[in-house]
Each structure stands twice: as C-alpha cells, then as structure tokens.
Amino acid sequence: MTDTADELLERVRGEVAVRADRLWEVARALHADPEYAFAEHRAARLLGAELEREGFAVEQGAAGLPTAFAARAGTRSRPAVALLLEYDALPGLGHACGHNLIAAAGLGAALAARAVLDGDEGTVWAVGTPAEEGGGGKIIEAEEGLFDGVDAALMFHPGVHSWQWAPLTAQAQYRVGFHGRAAHPTGNPTEGVDALAALIQLFNTLNAVGRRLPEGSHIQGIITDGGRATNIVPEYAEGLFGLRAVTTAGLEDLAGELLTCAQGVARATGTTAAVERATLRYEHFRDSPVLSGRFARHLERAGIALTPPAPGVYLGSSDIGNVSGRVPAIHPFVAIMDPDGSDHTPEFTAAAASERGRQVMLAATEALACTALEVLLRPDVREKAWDAHVAGAE
C-alpha cells in the first residue's frame, strides 16, 4: 500500500462523497423509525439491501439472530476486516445513542473499501449487530464464531467527547432471590421468616461494601419482588443487581462479593438465597492502539482531533468488549454534542439527526474505510495490531 497510499485514500474520499447523500438518507430513515433490541427487522432489511445492491453477499439471520446479518465482499478468506453496524434504539428516546450514525458510517465504510479494493486483496465484512443497548448481539455473534476469521473489527460511536478509544467497563446483571416462610405478622409473627427483610439487609450490606470497591466498580440494585400484601410476611423477595467493573476479571470478583454477601445475609436471617446471572456478560473493551491511532490520523484530515479519554471517566459498557477480546478492535468516540451534554437524552436524539451528526458520520466513514484498507493491504499494520492484541491478553 505504501506506493499508492495517497491515491487509495483519495479514492476513498471520492467513494464516500458519491454516497454521502444516500448514507445520510439511511441514517435519517433509521432515526425516524427506531426499533429496539432484537426487533430491528426493518433496519436489518434496509442495510442488507444497500449492501446487496453494491455486490455484497448478504446473510440475514447471522449467528441465529433474526435481526443480525453478515455481508461479505471479496474472494479471499484472509486478510479480512469487519465493519460493525449497530442500529438498535432506546425505548422512549429513539436513537439517543446515535446508532443510526454508527450503522450509516459502517455501511459507507464497507461500500467505499470494497469499491477501492481489487477482489483478491482481502475481504470486507459488514456485520449487523443488534441489541447493543440490552441483549448483547455481538456477544452471541462472537460466541457463534462470526469474528473468528477476521483480522480487525472497526466501528465508531457518536458522543459528547472526541476520544481515541472508549473507556468501557465490564458489566452484568444478577438476580438474587431470598426464600423465607409466610406468616401473619400479628397472629403468628414468630412463625414467619421475612424474605423482604433479608433483601433489604443485602442492600445495606452492599452499601457498606461499596465504600471499599475499586475505582470504576459499583453495584446498583432494585427490588423486583417485595411480597404480595402488607398483612403477610413475605416468603419470597427478589432483587436485580447491576454490576460494573473496569475489567472483566474485576467483574467476576464483584460477582463473588455479591454471592458472599447474599449467603451471609441468608445465614443471619434464616432465609435461603439463590444468586444467578440474569444477562449475558459484557466484557471490558480492549482497544487496539495500533488501529485506533490509524483511525485518529485519518479523522484529522476532516479537522477532528481525538484525545485520550479523561482519566477516571467511564462511559458505560458495550458488547464490543466481547469482540475486542478476540480480535483487534476500535471504538473511538466522536462528539456530535458539546461536553456538557449527555447521550441517552432527548437532546442527543436530536443531535443524531443534526447537521453536525451528518458531518461526523461522513468523516468517520472515511476514517473507518481508510483504516480498513490499511488492515487489508499493509501486513505490517496487521502484524503490529495482532502482536499488541496478544501481548495485551498476557
């Protein structure tokens, strides 16, 4: 790629420019028609049709998920790069996380990269990844082996910061149920074993534990079953607890803390406790500094500078973490709002259909396509990315 780098990058810009209006139409169409976790049927059909129209072989229902897809262009199995397309929305808010822009940028990058490449220079994948907001489509896809033959997984995320990589934590939800014994609180109170009292004690215990948890870790819970009537000692009570930690190993430690506390409370209150994971586990994100650095350099051509994330700031969790543990991956944030804003708000929903959102989407499309080309055409970039990936796992 060295001798023709400038030519190829210019061609990428041209390919994106030709498709700019259509990509924005796709982003606006998704924005106007929000669909939610594992129900994004119209979005998957729309994006799949766009890819099929330009020569991609599209498999709808990839990894056994009705609203996932895997679209391929290229005659060689390796090298291969995957552009990840998110398109689920938030109930009540629509595209308040900007997934409409993620989908359009991933689509455009895949189309532009394919248009520039010769057929035997590598394979471009566009992977539709449903239910990032709650369900973990990428987790299922990864476990089904969808990324096993890929050299890199690339996406960007709109935000309120422009950061080269994403400080995304590991997270999972756990269900804790306490079993006691029902009784009349006046007629035979000594016969009762109050399951709700045990659950409330668990909240108090976890509050004390929270004071010594490491930075980036927390446990947040709600009561999902607190009994049936005030004149019956609750024989069963249940809570749902969200756990987050900076690393996946830290999350497992936190789950152990929850289990220990629940068992201790059960012994103290005469109840029995059942603890089970209620969701898929989102692993922490592992950035590929080689590839995120390449993306940042390409994005600078559009006048957008990325910085490292602010120390001690964590921006939630994403199922891209489970992909990043398997292959080199990037997940930069690019601001479509000022830092005093926030995603998951009505204001962010509006920003995801704004002129600034359009400009960021197109700039990210170019940077993703150029990064994808470097992965496919430069063995040194691939090797450095894989070397860093393997070293980071040790």
Side-chain angles (χ1 to χ4, degrees), residues 38 40-41 43-45 47-48 52 57-71 87 125-130 137 140-141 144 146:
F38 296 125
E40 315 95 326
H41 297 283
R45 285 197 299 269
L47 295 164
E52 204 164 46
V58 180
E59 176 197 356
Q60 293 284 1
L65 300 174
T67 57
F69 62 83
Y87 36 81
W125 288 92
V127 180
T129 66
I140 298 169
E141 291 175 337
E144 289 296 316
L146 202 58

Side-chain angles (χ1 to χ4, degrees), residues 17 46 65 76 138 177 216 238 259 266 275 282 341:
L46 171 63
L65 300 174
R76 296 175 58 187
K138 295 186 198 63
E238 182 179 285
L259 178 61
V275 180
Y282 282 48

Side-chain angles (χ1 to χ4, degrees), residues 31-365:
H31 189 275
D33 185 20
E35 297 172 288
Y36 312 115
F38 296 125
E40 315 95 326
H41 297 283
R42 294 181 298 278
R45 285 197 299 269
L46 171 63
L47 295 164
E50 293 292 322
L51 289 157
E52 204 164 46
R53 185 177 299 116
E54 296 210 27
F56 279 74
V58 180
E59 176 197 356
Q60 293 284 1
L65 300 174
T67 57
F69 62 83
R72 171 180 175 153
T75 59
R76 296 175 58 187
S77 59
R78 302 290 284 270
V81 64
L83 283 306
L84 307 187
L85 285 64
E86 296 178 359
Y87 36 81
D88 60 316
L90 289 158
L93 288 173
H95 279 286
C97 216
H99 290 189
N100 61 313
L101 302 179
I102 296 173
L107 169 67
L111 296 178
R114 176 197 174 274
V116 167
L117 283 170
D118 291 332
D120 63 351
E121 290 177 321
T123 293
V124 178
W125 288 92
V127 180
T129 66
E132 186 276 335
E133 292 291 355
K138 295 186 198 63
I139 300 172
I140 298 169
E141 291 175 337
E143 291 176 349
E144 289 296 316
L146 202 58
F147 302 102
D148 288 355
V150 167
D151 291 295
L154 311 178
M155 64 174 290
F156 101 102
H157 202 297
V160 299
H161 306 286
S162 290
W163 287 349
Q164 184 171 321
W165 57 274
L168 299 172
T169 58
Q171 71 95 7
Q173 295 185 35
Y174 283 79
R175 186 176 293 108
V176 180
F178 286 97
H179 295 266
R181 185 168 59 247
H184 193 290
T186 302
N188 60 339
T190 59
E191 297 299 315
V193 178
D194 193 332
L196 179 59
L199 180 60
I200 291 171
Q201 183 57 49
L202 177 62
F203 275 89
N204 292 332
T205 302
L206 292 174
N207 184 56
V209 168
R211 298 171 190 168
R212 59 176 175 78
L213 292 179
E215 180 184 77
S217 293
H218 74 257
I219 301 176
Q220 178 69 37
I222 60 172
I223 294 175
T224 54
D225 188 340
R228 296 292 178 267
T230 60
N231 61 349
I232 304 173
V233 173
E235 63 178 341
Y236 181 74
E238 182 179 285
L240 185 65
F241 296 85
L243 282 61
R244 292 186 193 266
V246 173
T247 66
T248 306
L251 180 67
E252 292 306 300
D253 291 342
L254 203 56
E257 290 269 15
L258 176 64
L259 178 61
T260 298
C261 291
Q263 291 173 336
V265 166
R267 286 194 295 271
T269 58
T271 59
T272 59
V275 180
E276 62 179 6
R277 198 171 73 201
T279 63
L280 296 175
R281 184 184 72 179
Y282 282 48
E283 298 174 1
H284 74 275
F285 176 66
R286 289 177 51 194
D287 178 56
S288 171
V290 174
L291 301 183
S292 62
R294 301 310 303 170
F295 176 90
R297 291 184 185 93
H298 293 306
L299 195 67
E300 284 179 359
R301 296 160 67 95
I304 301 174
L306 301 183
T307 66
V313 177
Y314 302 98
L315 297 180
S317 307
S318 173
D319 53 6
I320 183 66
N322 299 62
V323 180
S324 73
R326 289 165 169 79
V327 300
I330 67 169
H331 187 289
F333 281 102
V334 187
I336 62 170
M337 285 184 70
D338 293 337
D340 58 353
S342 174
D343 59 359
H344 291 212
T345 63
E347 293 76 17
F348 201 92
T349 304
S354 68
E355 179 57 27
R356 183 174 178 181
R358 172 190 166 101
Q359 295 305 318
V360 165
M361 181 271 291
L362 292 174
T365 300

